[in-house]
């Protein structure tokens, strides 16, 4: 007989870290989830301010505020930040917070890995934005000016901003992979007894497929940007036509990652949206199995449609047709999902608290994103739309409405559970209406200028586009300012407010709602009396 | 996972993945990522391959680390006037016994809001259910043990 983990009474009282060390070393899934969500919110504001600079420049034709180089840099960094530092971390934050609670696990499977996964993010955000600061001191010529897509030859010729971005993307990739591994292992191995895969909450399904896609595609991105790096500095010619390389190959590599990436951004949202719908419709979700199979088919189709992003680069006609039809095929499982979402609400006794408002708004606006995507998938039409503002409007309907507004629905849905307080419902609704209206004011005009021929990534434009751009800029500033209200609502909810009940929402279903709000946490600030 | 009855508490890690299902998963990841990397190798973009390989190694390692512990358990049994704590980690079993009369149950706030549950007597203490229970379960076990111990006195 041997002794086990034996400790003496007074050893472990004061040794747990406090202050910043607590956050640096934490392995608690809720702490890590909170850090992801906070980071995401901060970066959303950073990426948003950058693009307000762009919209200010585009308020009038002609160059007013910045030179074209800087304009391009802002666009590329805006996109990289929004995608990698705002939207993805938000989804990972929810995964950390809610997956263990939803599947009945005490924590994530690999808590320490989880901590590393998060702490890689802030340095990479700094790497992305550092070149701006360096340029102020005369070092280099600013951030990458290639857009977020890094296309060569521009990215091979570009300044140090490209190198910084390459390293940032590597770190972001590592972080995503660590997060995905943790999520896959957690979902596979940490489910409570009796919870088979087909009984899992939809959010777990959304994330499982997301993690699959990340694991499949991050190496492709990592390989692509590394080859770019060696082309830039070590004399290789992967993408250099003069040296026998092929710049189009970069586009294949990039979009082989890039298209699945959009589903990586959206699948977690498709996971919790039905949960919100069933809560506020006070009905079980419609078509659970159909939704799971649809998510899988979208995941599978995601990796075989990448070339629809560069139809105009020149491809054999059979390839064009293949990529067109396979892309259009994605709308079938998506239609199933839309049907299930709407059927879940059908004849339910619905109520429209803020999370539900965001969800219903989300269905409509994301629907517009999906339908305009279908238009872009048409090879013949895309020759006109490609690289125009129509594309910009389309992907903001999917990424801002479909992504960020979905995340906002999730924030309002779970905030009371996470903080133990209700947020201010009136302000929440105000935030929704401001966001939904100004979002449309910002992006509907962009469809029109796009159709009329205004190219994207351009700091100056023809006079005929002036009015619509002006409207769009006004919308963007209202949209940006409205998000300060969001920040205010969150902060005041964290600080205090009406006490939230455990179930929070009358119709809430799922394990996370059976725990107290907030889930048992600092329950023992006082030493419980022995015996 | 936690099961409690009048004379016994057992906790073990949730281990919902069978070795078979994990093998299937790893195999499908291997085929999927492998095919992608090979296809790109075929067109000259060989640098995808090392990244894909590295990543698969990480995935396998993660599962190995976790699955190795799926047989672990911790058990508290009351035998007459004694309480026995049995902990099995990676197949190695350790026992400790305390006299009920002297046994103390302590819940402490540990790092980062996680509580820890300690069972001890005199200068010896054993932690119970560190990674396998959440705070609510630790609370539940603590009050259950306290109730039983009270009866023995
Ligand atoms: C306040 C909300 C936002 C506004 C007003 C906004 C506006 C813009 C504008 C004006 C551009 C430049 C278009 C061009 O000239 O090509 C742009 C580019 C882009 N934005 Fe946003 N955006 C917002 C939020 C987001 C979000 C949330 C995401 C993604 C999660 C996102 C992703 C992108 C991407 C991928 C690009 C393309 C960049 C490139 O051309 O390389 N944006 N955005
Ligand atoms: Cu795509």
């Amino acid at each position: 007989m041997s002794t086990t983990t034996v400790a003496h009474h007074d050893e472990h009282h004061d040794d747990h870290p406090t202050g910043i060390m607590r956050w640096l070393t934490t392995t608690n899934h809720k702490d890590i989830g909170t850090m992801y969500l906070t980071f995401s919110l901060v970066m959303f504001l950073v990426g948003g301010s950058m693009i307000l600079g762009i919209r200010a420049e585009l308020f009038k034709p002609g160059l007013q505020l910045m030179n074209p180089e800087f304009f391009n840099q802002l666009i590329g960094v805006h996109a990289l930040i929004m995608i990698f530092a705002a939207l993805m971390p938000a989804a990972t934050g929810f995964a950390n917070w809610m997956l263990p609670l939803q599947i009945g696990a005490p924590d994530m499977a690999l808590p320490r890995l989880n901590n590393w996964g998060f702490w890689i993010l802030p340095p990479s955000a700094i790497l992305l934005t550092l070149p701006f600061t360096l340029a102020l001191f005369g070092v280099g010529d600013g951030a990458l000016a290639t857009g977020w897509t890094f296309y060569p030859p521009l990215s091979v010729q570009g300044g140090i901003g490209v190198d910084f971005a390459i390293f940032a993307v590597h770190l972001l990739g590592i972080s995503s992979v660590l997060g995905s591994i943790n999520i896959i292992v957690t979902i596979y191995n940490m489910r409570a007894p009796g919870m088979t895969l087909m009984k899992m909450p939809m959010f777990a399904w959304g994330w499982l497929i997301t993690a699959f896609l990340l694991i499949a595609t991050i190496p492709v991105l990592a390989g692509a940007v590394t080859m770019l790096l060696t082309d830039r500095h070590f004399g290789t010619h992967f993408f250099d036509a003069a040296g026998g390389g092929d710049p189009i190959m970069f586009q294949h590599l990039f979009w082989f990652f890039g298209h699945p990436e959009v589903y990586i951004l959206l699948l977690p949202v498709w996971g919790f949206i039905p949960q919100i719908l069933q809560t506020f419709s006070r009905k079980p979700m419609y078509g659970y199995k159909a939704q799971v199979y649809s998510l899988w088919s979208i995941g599978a189709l995601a990796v075989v449609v990448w070339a629809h992003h560069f139809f105009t680069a020149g491809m054999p006609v059979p390839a064009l047709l293949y990529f067109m039809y396979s892309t259009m095929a994605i709308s079938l499982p998506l239609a199933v999902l839309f049907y299930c979402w709407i059927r879940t609400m059908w004849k339910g006794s619905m109520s429209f608290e803020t999370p539900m408002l965001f969800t219903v708004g989300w269905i409509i606006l994301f629907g517009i994103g999906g339908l305009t995507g279908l238009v872009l998938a048409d090879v013949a039409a895309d020759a006109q739309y490609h690289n125009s503002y129509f594309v910009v409007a389309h992907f903001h309907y999917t990424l801002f409405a479909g992504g960020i507004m979905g995340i906002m629905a999730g924030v309002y849905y779970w905030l009371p559970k996470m903080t133990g307080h209700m947020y201010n419902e009136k302000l929440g609704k105000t935030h929704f209406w401001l966001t939904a209206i100004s979002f449309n004011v910002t992006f509907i005009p962009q469809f029109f200028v796009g159709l009329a021929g205004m190219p994207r990534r351009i700091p100056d434009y023809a006079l005929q586009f002036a009015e619509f751009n002006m409207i769009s800029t006004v919308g963007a500033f209202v949209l940006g300012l409205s998000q300060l209200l969001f920040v205010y609502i969150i902060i005041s909810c964290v600080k205090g407010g009406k006490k939230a009940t455990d179930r929070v929402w009358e119709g809430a279903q799922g394990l996370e709602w059976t725990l107290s709000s907030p889930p048992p946490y600092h329950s023992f600030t006082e030493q419980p009396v022995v015996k | 996972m936690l099961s409690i009855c009048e004379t016994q508490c057992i906790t073990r890690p949730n281990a919902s993945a069978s070795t078979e299902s994990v093998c299937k998963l790893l195999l499908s990841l291997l085929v999927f990522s492998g095919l992608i990397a090979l296809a790109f190798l075929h067109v000259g973009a060989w640098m995808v391959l090392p990244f894909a390989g590295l990543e698969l190694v990480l995935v396998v390692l993660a599962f190995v680390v976790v699955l190795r512990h799926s047989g672990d358990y911790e058990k508290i049994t009351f035998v007459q006037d004694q309480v026995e704590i049995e902990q099995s980690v990676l197949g190695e079993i350790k026992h400790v016994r305390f006299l009920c009369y002297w046994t103390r149950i302590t819940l402490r706030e540990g790092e980062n809001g996680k509580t820890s549950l300690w069972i001890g007597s005199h200068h010896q203490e054993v932690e119970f259910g560190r990674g396998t229970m959440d705070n609510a379960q630790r609370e539940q076990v603590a009050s259950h043990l306290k109730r039983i111990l009270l009866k023995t006195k």
Side-chain angles (χ1 to χ4, degrees):
Chain A
M1 215 186 282
S2 59
T3 40
T4 48
T5 4
V6 174
H8 290 281
H9 281 293
D10 33 54
E11 268 174 12
H12 38 250
H13 283 195
D14 304 307
D15 62 349
H16 50 85
T18 48
I20 180 77
M21 278 315 281
R22 156 156 193 254
W23 294 101
L24 277 173
T25 56
T26 184
T27 53
N28 182 314
H29 69 101
K30 291 171 214 139
D31 282 353
I32 295 178
T34 303
M35 293 196 297
Y36 267 109
L37 289 167
T38 313
F39 176 77
S40 157
L41 183 62
V42 171
M43 295 316 286
F44 174 57
L45 297 178
V46 172
S49 335
M50 287 182 173
I51 214 63
L52 289 186
I54 295 292
R55 282 307 335 164
E57 171 62 55
L58 293 173
F59 185 66
K60 282 195 298 195
L63 293 181
Q64 276 83 237
L65 302 171
M66 54 186 83
N67 60 33
E69 265 295 292
F70 186 62
F71 181 93
N72 283 345
Q73 296 172 6
L74 281 184
I75 288 188
V77 178
H78 155 73
L80 286 169
I81 284 184
M82 285 303 193
I83 290 173
F84 287 100
L87 202 39
M88 289 173 78
T92 318
F94 282 154
N96 269 292
W97 250 101
M98 292 303 157
L99 277 183
L101 306 184
Q102 288 193 335
I103 66 174
D107 203 323
M108 298 291 280
L110 300 150
R112 197 141 311 158
L113 194 75
N114 208 5
N115 175 289
W116 294 342
F118 172 76
W119 280 109
I120 293 174
L121 284 180
S124 45
I126 292 172
L127 274 183
L128 261 182
T129 45
L130 193 61
F132 286 127
T133 323
L134 289 181
L136 290 182
F137 294 99
V139 183
D141 46 9
L144 87 164
T146 64
W148 81 292
T149 50
F150 290 91
Y151 278 4
L154 194 55
S155 56
V156 175
Q157 296 152 358
I160 55 163
V162 180
D163 298 313
F164 275 85
I166 289 176
F167 284 117
V169 162
H170 268 300
L171 291 183
L172 293 163
I174 295 174
S175 166
S176 304
V177 167
L178 296 184
S180 306
I181 292 180
N182 210 349
I183 287 170
I184 287 200
V185 178
T186 304
I187 292 179
Y188 255 71
N189 203 44
M190 304 281 281
R191 275 168 289 129
M195 184 179 283
T196 57
L197 284 177
M198 283 316 264
K199 282 188 189 151
M200 259 183 351
M202 194 59 75
F203 183 50
W205 271 117
W207 247 111
L208 185 63
I209 300 166
T210 302
F212 255 86
L213 286 175
L214 275 166
I215 287 181
T217 60
I218 289 285
V220 181
L221 176 68
V225 295
T226 310
M227 286 185 269
L228 207 55
L229 192 72
T230 61
D231 269 13
R232 287 168 57 80
H233 298 295
F234 304 108
T236 56
H237 299 283
F238 287 107
F239 308 126
D240 176 10
D246 180 6
I248 303 290
M249 186 167 77
F250 182 87
Q251 304 191 14
H252 282 283
L253 284 157
F254 184 85
W255 288 110
F256 191 87
F257 150 81
H259 185 80
E261 172 68 18
V262 305
Y263 294 106
I264 288 164
L265 296 167
L266 297 177
L267 277 161
V269 177
W270 298 344
F272 63 73
I273 284 289
Q275 298 179 347
I276 301 181
L277 284 173
Q278 68 178 3
T279 295
F280 293 98
S281 307
R282 295 167 179 76
K283 271 175 67 194
M285 106 182 32
Y286 179 85
Y288 175 89
K289 273 191 188 164
Q291 291 191 47
V292 172
Y293 295 139
S294 299
L295 294 182
W296 271 114
S297 8
I298 292 171
L301 285 169
V303 290
V304 296
V305 297
W306 72 93
H308 60 218
H309 290 272
F310 46 97
F311 279 144
T312 54
M315 254 180 278
V317 169
L320 289 176
L321 289 177
Y322 160 75
F323 282 111
M324 170 165 86
Y325 289 129
S326 56
T327 302
M328 290 180 168
I330 297 182
S331 50
L332 299 175
L334 256 175
V336 174
L337 287 178
F338 272 93
Y339 179 74
C340 292
W341 297 332
I342 294 168
R343 244 337 258 277
T344 301
M345 292 185 283
W346 193 256
K347 292 189 175 165
S349 58
M350 295 205 286
S351 60
F352 293 92
E353 287 86 343
T354 312
M356 185 62 163
L357 276 183
F358 266 97
T359 304
V360 176
W362 177 90
I363 294 183
I364 296 166
L365 297 176
F366 173 58
I368 296 179
L371 290 175
T372 49
L374 201 54
V375 173
L376 289 167
D378 185 306
V379 174
D382 185 65
Q384 166 73 17
Y385 301 143
H386 182 74
N387 233 11
S388 75
Y389 251 90
F390 187 87
V391 177
V392 177
H394 151 70
F395 67 66
H396 283 90
Y397 272 84
T398 59
L399 295 182
F400 190 97
I404 297 284
M405 283 177 72
I407 294 289
M408 285 171 176
V411 168
Y412 285 110
Y413 184 54
W414 280 319
L415 203 55
K417 170 65 41 183
M418 300 194 276
T419 61
H421 305 128
M422 294 307 285
Y423 58 86
N424 184 325
E425 190 65 57
K426 199 176 256 165
L427 289 184
K429 286 183 173 152
T430 314
H431 172 230
F432 167 75
W433 286 111
L434 280 173
T435 303
I437 293 172
S438 58
F439 168 79
N440 283 298
V441 174
T442 309
F443 291 103
I444 287 178
Q446 298 188 5
F447 280 124
F448 294 128
V449 289
L451 286 175
M454 177 169 160
R456 66 190 275 206
R457 294 179 177 168
I458 209 89
D460 187 8
Y461 50 83
L463 283 177
Q464 82 233 37
F465 306 129
E467 285 81 6
F468 277 150
N469 271 292
M470 208 172 265
I471 299 172
S472 178
T473 295
V474 171
F477 273 85
V478 178
L479 181 56
L481 291 177
S482 315
Q483 304 321 311
L484 298 180
L485 180 59
F486 185 44
V487 176
Y488 172 77
I489 294 171
I490 293 178
I491 292 178
S492 44
C493 177
V494 171
K495 284 213 177 128
K498 215 177 83 201
K499 189 100 192 54
T501 58
D502 294 355
R503 169 138 257 135
V504 181
W505 312 111
E506 190 190 35
Q509 297 158 48
L511 283 181
E512 78 261 40
W513 306 104
T514 58
L515 302 168
S516 63
S517 303
Y521 203 32
H522 286 290
S523 348
F524 299 97
T525 35
E526 260 175 47
Q527 196 69 229
V529 207
V530 182
K531 263 181 222 160
Chain B
M1 203 195 305
L2 172 69
S3 47
I4 301 186
C5 69
E6 207 43 42
T7 53
Q8 215 172 40
C9 285
I10 304 177
T11 171
R12 46 180 97 236
N14 284 9
S16 46
S18 62
T19 320
E20 193 200 325
S21 69
V22 171
C23 285
K24 273 190 201 156
L25 171 78
L26 292 178
L27 200 71
S28 63
L29 276 177
L30 179 74
V31 172
F32 196 37
S33 287
L35 278 181
I36 293 169
L38 288 178
F40 280 115
L41 174 70
H42 180 71
V43 294
W46 58 268
M47 279 198 200
V48 174
L49 192 62
F51 286 108
L54 211 68
E55 193 193 50
L56 285 175
V57 170
L58 266 182
V59 181
V60 173
L61 271 180
F63 269 105
V64 169
V65 167
V66 171
L67 288 186
R68 258 162 44 104
H69 284 278
S70 52
D72 289 3
Y73 64 88
E74 292 173 65
K75 187 156 80 180
I76 301 176
T77 321
F78 289 91
V79 202
Q80 287 154 357
D81 61 342
Q82 294 200 340
V83 46
E84 183 187 74
I85 300 132
E86 182 179 327
Q87 294 178 315
S88 165
V89 180
L90 296 176
E92 198 181 319
I93 300 176
K94 293 171 174 173
H95 298 268
V96 194
R97 273 167 191 262
F98 297 126
L99 270 174
C100 284
Y101 186 79
W102 297 107
T103 303
R104 278 150 191 276
I105 308 292
T106 319
L107 260 179
R108 297 203 173 88
E109 194 195 349
E111 8 165 345
N112 308 316
K114 274 189 202 171
T115 57
S116 55
L117 171 60
W118 297 82
I119 300 159
S121 161
H122 297 89
H123 284 299
Q124 221 191 9
E125 261 196 326
V126 178
E127 189 180 354
F128 186 76
R130 183 187 186 79
T132 51
M133 302 195 294
D134 60 23
N135 287 2
Q137 288 171 324
R138 274 188 279 270
E139 204 177 341
Q140 186 192 355
V141 172
S143 59
H144 182 73
L145 293 179
K146 283 177 196 169
R147 200 170 47 77
I148 298 181
L149 285 173
L150 263 183
K151 276 201 235 157
T152 65
K153 281 167 201 170

